[in-house]
């Protein structure tokens, strides 16, 4: 499912260099630091699944439980964006542009439009926004006339959906060597999932401890001639 989610975005993100160039952001995205990219996408993760972390508190919507930031999926989101988007398309404008950096550049571009002044402890303008302003960022992205005849309009919705999928999955703590989570995933805690098991007590036997199904008529099997 992880590949299927980004396969949908892959075709749209293939237009990312053109989109960045259209907004005058191509060189900015190319020179963007890894810290700024991570900070911006941390703001996205907190927006999608708020928790008890500083990013959620900054946006004005936090909870008393771990959320997306605690799930550890931001590095997975960055790696996935950079991995599943065709490098040939990203290099079409004279050099490679990591997809995650390009997405972060666009998020911060629309963040300045949504709220020119945003005060906070983070280097990313997007991460310093309140939740209503973050929502306005996606409204501006989807409604941008520049994307009228392109698939870039769909990228914002795919980003939200894919980020939600990652935060509720085991992706942030999954050990590929052991093929199992290193510790209990946040999504399991939030959903009340008990984890993998070879059957569960509530699913064993008949309802209310009955030993057999009552009222069942026995039918004799007819022998084939």
């Amino acid at each position: 499912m992880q590949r299927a989610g980004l396969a949908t975005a892959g075709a749209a993100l293939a237009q990312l260099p053109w989109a960045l160039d259209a907004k005058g952001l191509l060189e900015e995205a190319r020179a963007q630091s890894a810290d700024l990219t991570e900070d911006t996408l941390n703001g996205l993760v907190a927006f999608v699944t708020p928790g008890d972390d500083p990013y959620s508190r900054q946006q004005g919507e936090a909870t008393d439980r771990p959320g997306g930031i605690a799930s550890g999926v931001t590095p997975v989101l960055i790696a996935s964006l950079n991995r599943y988007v065709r490098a040939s398309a990203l290099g079409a404008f004279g050099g490679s542009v990591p997809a995650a950096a390009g997405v972060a550049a666009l998020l911060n571009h629309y963040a300045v439009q949504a709220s020119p002044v945003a005060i906070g402890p983070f280097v990313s303008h997007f991460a310093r926004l309140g939740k209503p302003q973050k929502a306005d960022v996606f409204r501006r992205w989807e409604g941008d006339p520049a994307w009228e005849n392109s698939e870039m309009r769909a990228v914002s919705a795919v980003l939200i959906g894919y980020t939600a999928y990652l935060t509720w999955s085991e992706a942030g703590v999954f050990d590929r060597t052991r093929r199992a989570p290193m510790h209990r995933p946040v999504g399991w805690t939030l959903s009340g999932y008990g984890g993998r098991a070879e059957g569960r007590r509530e699913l064993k036997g008949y309802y209310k401890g009955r030993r057999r199904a009552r009222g069942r008529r026995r039918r004799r099997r007819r022998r084939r001639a």
Side-chain angles (χ1 to χ4, degrees):
M1 186 172 179
Q2 179 173 336
R3 296 192 179 192
L6 275 182
T8 305
L13 284 174
Q15 301 181 33
L16 189 57
W18 161 79
L20 293 169
D21 188 58
K23 294 295 181 182
L25 299 171
L26 187 61
E27 292 304 320
E28 179 181 328
R30 188 172 292 156
Q32 186 168 273
S33 70
D35 288 342
L36 179 56
T37 297
E38 182 176 7
D39 202 51
T40 303
L41 295 183
N42 274 337
L44 171 62
V45 169
F47 172 71
V48 173
T49 309
D52 56 0
D53 55 272
Y55 289 90
S56 297
R57 289 192 289 271
Q58 173 68 23
Q59 71 183 3
E61 182 171 335
T63 70
D64 58 357
R65 301 189 300 175
I69 297 298
S71 71
V73 300
T74 303
V76 180
L77 177 59
I78 292 172
S80 297
L81 286 171
N82 291 340
R83 178 180 178 184
Y84 291 116
V85 179
R86 294 179 299 171
S88 60
L90 293 178
F93 281 68
S96 62
V97 181
V103 167
L106 283 170
L107 286 173
N108 286 312
H109 170 73
Y110 290 116
V112 173
Q113 295 180 12
S115 180
V117 179
I119 301 173
F122 305 116
V123 296
S124 162
H125 198 100
F126 178 78
R128 294 196 295 264
L129 297 182
K131 191 158 187 178
Q133 289 73 42
K134 286 182 178 180
D136 190 40
V137 165
F138 289 99
R139 182 188 66 80
R140 291 172 181 274
W141 184 326
E142 293 178 5
D144 194 327
W147 316 142
E148 188 68 32
N149 297 315
S150 78
E151 296 178 341
M152 282 301 297
R153 179 169 292 173
V155 172
S156 59
V158 173
L159 275 176
I160 291 175
Y162 186 65
T163 301
Y165 162 71
L166 287 180
T167 59
W168 286 81
S169 74
E170 302 84 28
V173 296
F174 191 76
D175 186 333
R176 293 184 178 275
T177 303
R178 295 173 49 232
R179 300 186 65 82
M182 294 179 287
H183 51 80
R184 184 173 176 80
V186 167
W188 291 12
T189 300
L190 295 177
S191 64
Y193 176 54
R196 297 182 301 174
E198 297 296 332
R200 303 185 184 282
R201 290 180 60 85
E202 62 268 24
L203 299 179
K204 292 180 179 179
Y206 289 98
Y207 179 61
K208 292 186 177 180
R210 294 187 176 94
R211 296 291 182 179
R212 60 186 177 84
R214 292 182 293 183
R216 185 180 61 179
R217 295 181 179 179
R218 295 183 179 179
R219 295 181 179 179
R220 296 180 180 179
R221 295 181 179 178
R222 296 182 179 179
R223 295 181 180 179
R224 293 181 180 179

